Amino acid sequence: MKYYSTNGQAPIADLEKAVVKGLAEDRGLYMPETINGLPQAFIDDMPSMSFQDIAYNVASQFFGDDVDPDALQDIVYDTLQFDCPVVKVEDNIYSLELFHGPTLAFKDVGARFMARLLQYFIKGKNSAGAAGETVNVLVATSGDTGSAVANGFLGVDGIHVYVLYPKGKVSPIQECQFTTLGQNITAIEVDGVFDDCQRLVKSAFMDEELNKHMRLTSANSINVARFLPQSFYYFNAYARIKETGMENSEIVMCVPSGNFGNICSALFGHQMGLPVSRFIAANNANDVFYKYLQTGSYEPKASVQTLANAMDVGDPSNFARILNLYSENGKLSAKDTHSAITSLISGATYSDEQIAQTMRQCYADTGYVLDPHGACGYRALKEQLRPGEVGIFCETAHPAKFKEKVDQILGTDIEIPARLQAFMKGKKQSVAMSKDFEDFKKFLLGC
Ligand SMILES: *Cc1c(COP(=O)(O)O)cnc(C)c1O
């Protein structure tokens, strides 16, 4: 499979280059040249298949040309060591729980898959006799991404991860998930804000001297190896809903969205034949996509802080992929692209007050504890589901990741899963760093 850039100015890349580079030379996002439809026989058989087998079939469509079948199966099975179950919340509304992985959020799937795929390409190189140089992954985080990437890459040989995070700006529960790991993970506590961390990472990628000395790559969500594997759990959700006897209902998939990588993978699934009749992108107060759906014009703006902070994004990077997909790589006019998008996707936007009120209502009526992100998805289904439809919303993180907020809103004392408690018992190891690039560079060169 070849990959082109959404900006159309970069050379076509193969999978290895797309994964190792992340972003194309023209700063565009890589898109697969073809999206193969899955055979009807596979769609029909899914309900009798396991999550792993469904995922392997889907993965083969994307990566089958470029990765040896046994290795791909190994990567898929290794990634999906946890389940993504569909849980009934009330009549016609189901929660797709994506938080049973190591750091209790959906990013675990893409992070682990990317780690193993990158390792596969590095190993191939090494056995072919090229220099067996360590690949260094740099990631800036305000919380969730750093923990998922650190845990996904933990113990993967040939790769070292540097997680840069702003001192004092990450919750203790999040911080312990990437500062207590050791091994090939180095946490760097930057005396600054998230934007400083991101700037340090970007400067490192552009620094010639640094790039001569070490192989650097990024693991943020624009990487094809991180976002495409997220389509696996949408296929599995379809299969599991079929088992519940809801087979005659139209399926509506609702995705709480920030950078739009997660919903984008669902849309790729839809292009491959996933039988979902429509999608809802649920936003917090950061409503640029919602506004685009209403008006047809896309106006990025600074993000605002909300209760659902992993969705505090003012210029979602994967919007470029959605536009590219429905404009058929620029063939359709802006107007036709907008109508293609609005005929399949609707939006929703909620204030913090609405999020909190939704969490309380759902808990009182059903006993189900929503986290602030999932609450946006649940509410959008409550408001927009039509007769004859069954709605599935992604519960993108375990509520215990936001324990303080959730307990305060619901008046609960929710239990912290053992996995999270184990992190909290670990010893914090991090490197203190100024926000000055020269300091960071000196540190990396000394590693
Ligand atoms: C990252 C994240 C999101 C947003 O996902 P996108 O792919 O960026 O749209 C939603 N909820 C949680 C808990 C997240 O960590």
Side-chain angles (χ1 to χ4, degrees):
M1 178 85 74
K2 297 288 183 236
Y3 293 81
Y4 66 91
S5 163
T6 52
N7 285 349
Q9 304 294 318
I12 299 293
D14 61 9
L15 177 65
E16 176 171 353
K17 182 178 170 190
V19 172
V20 171
K21 286 196 55 85
L23 207 60
E25 289 89 340
D26 61 0
R27 317 297 295 164
L29 275 61
Y30 283 117
M31 295 280 285
E33 268 192 337
T34 47
I35 302 175
N36 298 319
L38 285 156
Q40 189 57 42
F42 167 73
I43 306 279
D44 294 342
D45 282 350
M46 272 197 291
S48 65
M49 295 168 71
S50 71
F51 183 17
Q52 285 88 346
D53 285 337
I54 290 171
Y56 175 60
N57 275 276
V58 176
S60 300
Q61 297 295 323
F62 287 124
F63 307 119
D65 298 343
D66 305 292
V67 183
D68 166 76
D70 290 342
L72 185 59
Q73 184 163 33
D74 184 45
I75 292 170
V76 169
Y77 277 60
D78 177 71
T79 299
L80 302 179
Q81 288 184 33
F82 51 89
D83 199 12
C84 297
V86 175
V87 173
K88 183 171 180 169
V89 176
E90 59 190 70
D91 280 348
N92 301 330
I93 297 186
Y94 289 76
S95 169
L96 171 54
E97 292 185 347
L98 302 177
F99 56 67
H100 296 280
T103 72
L104 312 178
F106 79 90
K107 292 184 178 72
D108 286 327
V109 173
R112 183 66 181 171
F113 189 93
M114 180 184 163
R116 292 296 316 274
L117 192 61
L118 194 54
Q119 183 190 36
Y120 171 81
F121 285 129
I122 297 168
K123 268 203 182 145
K125 276 264 155 53
N126 293 352
S127 59
E133 214 187 328
T134 300
V135 171
N136 299 282
V137 171
L138 305 182
V139 60
T141 189
S142 54
D144 265 7
T145 301
S147 49
V149 169
N151 282 274
F153 282 78
L154 182 64
V156 175
D157 34 274
I159 305 178
H160 197 102
V161 175
Y162 297 90
V163 180
L164 286 81
Y165 70 103
K167 182 178 175 176
K169 302 268 188 318
V170 169
S171 81
I173 287 186
Q174 286 179 320
E175 188 179 5
C176 69
Q177 293 176 84
F178 54 82
T179 56
T180 59
L181 300 170
Q183 297 186 57
N184 60 330
I185 311 298
T186 302
I188 299 182
E189 187 172 26
V190 176
D191 193 3
V193 295
F194 171 69
D195 293 331
D196 294 313
C197 300
Q198 203 153 36
R199 184 178 44 79
L200 290 177
V201 168
K202 281 189 182 154
S203 305
F205 289 133
M206 312 223 285
D207 190 273
E208 238 173 83
E209 190 190 359
L210 207 47
N211 282 276
K212 248 185 239 153
H213 277 86
M214 55 203 302
R215 285 178 77 184
L216 296 177
T217 188
S218 79
N220 56 12
S221 64
I222 47 103
N223 199 298
V224 291
R226 267 197 66 197
F227 101 91
L228 283 175
Q230 292 166 3
S231 59
F232 302 163
Y233 44 69
Y234 292 103
F235 283 91
N236 187 55
Y238 165 80
R240 304 291 82 97
I241 279 289
K242 291 283 129 176
E243 287 173 335
T244 65
M246 306 287 295
E247 58 266 15
N248 296 323
S249 308
E250 300 276 333
I251 294 175
V252 179
M253 206 63 91
C254 181
V255 188
S257 297
N259 252 326
F260 282 70
N262 200 6
I263 195 167
C264 203
S265 70
L267 297 171
F268 273 71
H270 183 253
Q271 294 287 105
M272 294 165 83
L274 175 67
V276 166
S277 62
R278 60 192 187 92
F279 294 86
I280 305 174
N283 286 151
N284 57 25
N286 294 279
D287 60 357
V288 268
F289 185 77
Y290 178 81
K291 290 247 166 75
Y292 166 77
L293 293 176
Q294 311 308 312
T295 65
S297 80
Y298 178 74
E299 289 167 15
K301 53 186 177 193
S303 63
V304 295
Q305 258 190 24
T306 75
L307 268 177
N309 61 8
M311 291 160 32
D312 293 349
V313 180
D315 184 8
S317 38
N318 284 289
F319 180 69
R321 280 200 170 105
I322 297 177
L323 268 191
N324 189 274
L325 196 60
Y326 295 103
S327 70
E328 296 166 22
N329 192 13
K331 283 197 214 62
L332 297 188
S333 69
K335 192 162 174 285
D336 289 346
T337 305
H338 181 252
S339 24
I341 292 174
T342 52
S343 65
L344 185 64
I345 313 169
S346 64
T349 172
Y350 300 114
S351 66
D352 277 0
E353 201 169 311
Q354 288 174 310
I355 291 173
Q357 185 262 330
T358 304
M359 289 167 67
R360 281 191 288 265
Q361 171 267 310
C362 181
Y363 186 58
D365 292 354
T366 71
Y368 193 79
V369 178
L370 293 164
D371 98 293
H373 306 80
C376 297
Y378 168 82
R379 179 158 180 156
L381 284 177
K382 285 287 270 191
E383 288 179 352
Q384 298 187 21
L385 213 56
R386 302 170 196 146
E389 290 179 331
V390 58
I392 305 172
F393 68 96
C394 294
E395 188 30 296
T396 48
H398 192 291
K401 282 199 97 164
F402 306 93
K403 179 172 168 56
E404 265 177 40
K405 291 173 186 167
V406 172
D407 283 346
Q408 196 189 353
I409 290 165
L410 299 182
T412 47
D413 179 15
I414 55 169
E415 203 180 321
I416 298 181
R419 239 165 317 147
L420 197 47
Q421 281 179 29
F423 286 119
M424 293 163 81
K425 286 191 200 116
K427 187 174 169 341
K428 174 177 162 178
Q429 301 164 269
S430 65
V431 178
M433 187 70 60
S434 80
K435 57 185 178 187
D436 180 359
F437 177 63
E438 288 308 314
D439 286 343
F440 180 50
K441 181 173 166 180
K442 220 180 286 164
F443 170 76
L444 285 178
L445 287 172
C447 284

